[in-house]
Amino acid sequence: MIFSNPEIWALTLSMAIPLALPAVGGTFSERTGVVNIAMEGIMLIGAFFGVAFSYWTGSAWIGLLAAIICGALTALALAWGAIHVSADQTVLGMGINVFAAGLTTFLLNTLFGYSGTPVNTPKLPSFSIPGLDAIPYIGIIFRNQSVLMYIGIVLVFLAHWFLFSTRIGLRMRSVGENPLAADTLGIPVWRLRYFGVVLSGVFSAIGGAYLSIGILNGFTSNMTSGRGYIALAAMIFGKWTPLGSFGAALIFGFSTALGIVLQGHGVSSNILQMIPYALTILALTGLIGRSTPPAADGIPYEPRR
Amino acid sequence: MENVLEVIDLKKWFPGVKANDGVNLSVRSGEVHAILGENGAGKSTLMKVIYGLLEPTAGEIRLFGEPVHFRSPRDAIRAGIGMVHQHFMLIPAFTVAENVVLGDEPGGVRFRRREASRLVRQLSERYGLAVDPDAKVGDLTVGLQQRVEILKAFYRKARVLILDEPTALLTPQETRELFRIIRALKEDGVPVIFISHKLDEVLEVSDRVTVMRQGKTVETLETKGATPQMLANLMVGREVVLRVEKPPLQAGEPVLQVRDLRVRSADRHERVKGVNLEVRRGEILGIAGIDGNGQFEFADAIAGLLRAESGEIRLEGRDITHLSPARRTELGIAYVPQDRQLDGLVLSFDLADNLILRDFRRPPFSRRGILNRRAAESQAEQLIQTFDVRPPDFRRRASELSGGNQQKVILAREVSRDPVLLIAAQPTRGLDVGAIEGVHRQLVRLRNEGRAVLLISLELDEILSLSDRIAVMHDGDIVGIVRGEEATREMLGLMMTGQRRKEGTA
Ligand SMILES: Nc1ncnc2c1ncn2[C@@H]1O[C@H](COP(=O)(O)OP(=O)(O)OP(=O)(O)O)[C@@H](O)[C@H]1O
Ligand SMILES: [Mg+2]
């Protein structure tokens, strides 16, 4: 029986992380009131520059740092368009996705040629957690996993605490619910929105780097293959909370893992790939626990002066 | 006495509107300073400028003698200005405590939620404004939300407090409680700027009154010695009739007949529990009652916005119980709903479109599904003039009008349709005395022309001065009907608490 094979649980977790990180990122952005569908593009940017800098500097850690910086800069562009210029946020996000796909493919071909990124690119270390990995049956989940997976799990919990238990988290959420009310209380609406969007860039870029230098050590064109969109679904299914997003990412990761394990068992993996979207539609229509976005999500705030 | 706040020749212009155009105001320490003015006179605009929400076009503001330039409310709050806004500035998804402390939360990095709750509970006990700190604001009634707004201002311990129509949604008891707090603040030397359209409130609580007209301050006077008539005239700039005259009743046959009507509200609670009522041609029937006793659900049911669970509604003898709101409109029911922004207007439409919302399906406003904008515009032009909507420009969006003028637009639309029956729910809420006079005159005119008017109001004075007959509603039922001229406040007050009275000669 496949479920008794602990392999599938380890696979689920490693499939869930690159969904959970951008989903948490999107949560930050949308909780402050900026619709963010650019996770896919920012992941690609993170994935590419992570590999490139890892190769150029010979350090995967510097690669990760570069990924984070590039992701943050891309998000900054989105933030500027959405906040300062009040441009349509969906169109902006889509634009970034298309731009990032083109840019990374172009840079890949011009900088590294058609043979792809060098095979000797360093990757981030993987390790096992001593003790936990010895637990019978579930130990395998903590055996030989990328360091980014552990970091990712910690980040998810940290993000949840940050958003719901700190003063700045409360203020960020107030800006996404009613920016005018927040403004009348002296809360800097624009600054917090910038912060939320840039955080979303950071998280998405780490998610991208996880793919390129966390579990692999190379970049291929469009290697995120829609994970940024599934992350969007995870964010909604998780009711715009980091822990909820993580839970949704686990469910979606499981369906992907199942697809991999069931290959050759006569179950179409295409069907399994539909699961995230189907569940998200159900969540939005209220059939499984209604999911309502922050009240001012997607609405630009222009102080009338 | 020392001047705490001074406003010198302040101007605030919007494109096409001079909302403030030469405002002078001085507020002394320890005084309650009332601002009076018609709808659209520029009171809220002035307060928003003082609070840093709007940047002045010209002029100066001094606080404790020092000129100040606030770039955002943040600066104003720091300088010690607190404000209760006319339109709620609340976050429905947050709890009461979160709403109150937001921007000045207890804790370091961490938000100390329990501490916030405790502080807010303390505050609400100290000021006698009971509200559960852990309740979600979105679940509260508007009255309770108003308390939260007031608590927000008190939490910040302002050195100057601005209250922009804080009493519009409070019950008389709550208003009295608020006045007690205002007096206590006064003892501490905190000046309070108080805005209200209710002249008796202004006379009761304020020390001085500044009257505004069309963006300018026209006069500041001591409250002592002022009379309601005097204030009303000053603010409107002409003689105002505070009491409406109406010829004796010429009631004809029944227009509206309601039998055993039962209605559930949107939240599935039974709110109307077997009401029987008749409204006749040529009379104004007032429904009095404490808020929440089913009167507004009753009105919605007659207009067709809520379904009748059981019972029967007849209009001119014809059964309309199961007709759609659109059909009822065609048959001659006009409705001025309680919530003008939600049910009465499409805020993002301009006035011309808003004025034909009921009739756009009919010629001349449309033919074969194509709208005739020209017809709408000429209709709008005429109505705007007749009803004195300001500014008189049908291209303006409804959202840009002051509250009172929004109400005039709704009334203009409904009255101009020549209805058989007009249902008016809280038609004068938030209106200035001049506008109230205008609305009352329209209602009486309809009645004199032989239409039926069903007036639902929480203001006993309004019910008493207009109604030919008064039905008192309590807990979803009519506890009694009295003749208008026989009714007294005390009698109605008693009935509103549920004490039955034999149906008299009415
Ligand atoms: N943001 C805005 N843009 C354009 N015009 C505005 C804006 N805000 C207010 N006005 C206009 O400025 C004038 C003054 O409005 P304001 O809200 O200050 O009146 P008010 O005295 O508070 O009236 P009310 O008693 O009805 O609350 C009105 O004519 C209004 O239409
Ligand atoms: Mg106002």
Side-chain angles (χ1 to χ4, degrees), chain B residues 14-19 39-41 351 355 380-381 383-385 387-402 404-406 408-409:
Chain B
F14 295 110
V17 186
K18 295 181 176 176
N39 298 121
L351 298 188
L355 282 166
E381 209 145 276
L383 287 180
I384 284 173
Q385 208 196 344
F387 285 80
D388 188 27
V389 177
R390 281 178 252 175
D393 174 7
F394 58 72
R395 279 181 210 89
R396 220 161 256 285
R397 286 197 205 173
S399 60
E400 288 170 35
L401 261 55
S402 78
N405 282 293
Q406 291 178 348
K408 287 188 203 163
V409 172

Side-chain angles (χ1 to χ4, degrees), chain A residues 161 164-168 170-171 173-174 177-178 180-188 191 301 304-305, chain B residues 12 51 53-54 71 73-74 77 85 89-91 93-94 102-103 105 107-111 113 152 156:
Chain A
W161 175 80
F164 291 101
S165 303
T166 66
R167 291 173 60 195
I168 188 165
L170 182 77
R171 291 173 179 206
R173 287 185 287 126
S174 77
E177 292 287 342
N178 186 346
L180 180 60
D183 194 3
T184 61
L185 294 172
I187 290 172
R191 223 182 294 164
Y301 179 67
R304 289 226 243 169
R305 296 276 150 83
Chain B
K12 175 64 193 176
Y51 193 65
L53 262 173
L54 295 170
R71 300 198 53 245
R74 198 182 176 74
I77 293 167
H85 300 265
M89 297 290 177
L90 294 172
I91 298 170
F94 281 15
L102 187 63
E105 313 85 356
V109 172
R110 212 169 64 81
F111 169 48
R113 188 166 277 120
K152 267 167 70 178
R156 267 148 259 267

Side-chain angles (χ1 to χ4, degrees), chain B residues 185-473:
Chain B
L185 286 173
K186 202 169 112 166
E187 300 283 295
D188 294 344
V190 177
V192 178
I193 300 177
F194 177 78
I195 298 177
S196 170
H197 287 295
K198 299 177 187 164
L199 298 178
D200 49 343
E201 291 182 359
V202 168
L203 288 171
E204 184 186 336
V205 80
S206 73
D207 300 303
R208 291 197 298 161
V209 188
T210 292
V211 179
M212 285 183 76
R213 202 190 305 148
Q214 289 172 22
K216 295 182 171 62
T217 38
V218 288
E219 196 168 328
T220 298
L221 64 163
E222 300 284 329
T223 309
K224 214 175 289 162
T227 65
Q229 188 66 52
M230 203 169 120
L231 293 175
N233 294 353
L234 256 179
M235 122 193 197
V236 181
R238 63 174 164 84
E239 193 76 14
V240 181
V241 188
L242 287 176
R243 240 195 113 77
V244 201
E245 300 300 322
K246 50 181 207 241
L249 180 67
Q250 299 276 332
E253 72 272 26
V255 170
L256 178 74
Q257 291 163 292
V258 178
R259 295 270 161 271
D260 294 323
L261 183 69
R262 288 178 181 275
V263 181
R264 279 178 199 281
S265 58
D267 57 12
R268 310 297 305 145
H269 284 103
E270 189 171 69
R271 284 291 153 75
V272 179
K273 305 172 180 171
V275 165
N276 290 288
L277 193 69
E278 260 184 21
V279 188
R280 290 178 233 144
R281 213 174 278 291
E283 77 166 347
I284 296 179
L285 183 110
I287 296 191
I290 299 165
D291 193 10
N293 276 284
Q295 58 269 66
F296 297 109
E297 286 81 1
F298 178 69
D300 276 351
I302 293 171
L305 301 182
L306 281 177
R307 208 165 55 85
E309 289 282 310
S310 65
E312 189 186 66
I313 307 170
R314 283 180 179 277
L315 186 72
E316 299 190 294
R318 174 176 179 167
D319 187 358
I320 61 162
T321 319
H322 302 291
L323 297 185
S324 69
R327 273 298 284 151
R328 296 187 204 202
T329 302
E330 282 167 29
L331 292 176
I333 293 187
Y335 187 25
V336 177
Q338 182 193 15
D339 189 333
R340 55 181 167 241
Q341 301 208 336
L342 203 66
D343 301 324
L345 294 166
V346 182
L347 287 176
S348 57
F349 280 13
D350 69 9
L351 298 188
D353 285 344
N354 266 300
L355 282 166
I356 60 161
L357 276 185
R358 291 272 192 195
D359 292 303
F360 67 90
R361 282 192 202 82
R362 287 192 302 125
F365 304 119
S366 71
R367 283 204 173 76
R368 284 180 231 97
I370 312 283
L371 280 179
N372 180 353
R373 175 75 189 178
R374 190 102 27 94
E377 287 178 0
S378 67
Q379 158 98 348
E381 209 145 276
Q382 190 217 323
L383 287 180
I384 284 173
Q385 208 196 344
T386 322
F387 285 80
D388 188 27
V389 177
R390 281 178 252 175
D393 174 7
F394 58 72
R395 279 181 210 89
R396 220 161 256 285
R397 286 197 205 173
S399 60
E400 288 170 35
L401 261 55
S402 78
N405 282 293
Q406 291 178 348
Q407 189 71 348
K408 287 188 203 163
V409 172
I410 298 176
L411 207 78
R413 181 182 67 213
E414 300 299 322
V415 169
S416 67
R417 301 183 50 250
D418 252 344
V420 185
L421 168 72
L422 174 76
I423 310 166
Q426 293 275 70
T428 58
R429 177 155 108 191
L431 297 206
D432 65 61
V433 284
I436 291 176
E437 181 198 7
V439 171
H440 285 178
R441 221 189 280 130
Q442 289 295 339
L443 296 184
V444 171
R445 185 179 63 83
L446 278 179
R447 159 198 185 264
N448 294 347
E449 286 173 5
R451 327 264 170 205
V453 176
L454 181 63
L455 169 72
I456 298 157
S457 176
L458 301 176
E459 304 281 337
L460 272 186
D461 290 327
E462 178 165 75
I463 295 272
L464 281 166
S465 77
L466 288 178
S467 311
D468 297 301
R469 289 190 302 149
I470 301 172
V472 181
M473 229 171 142

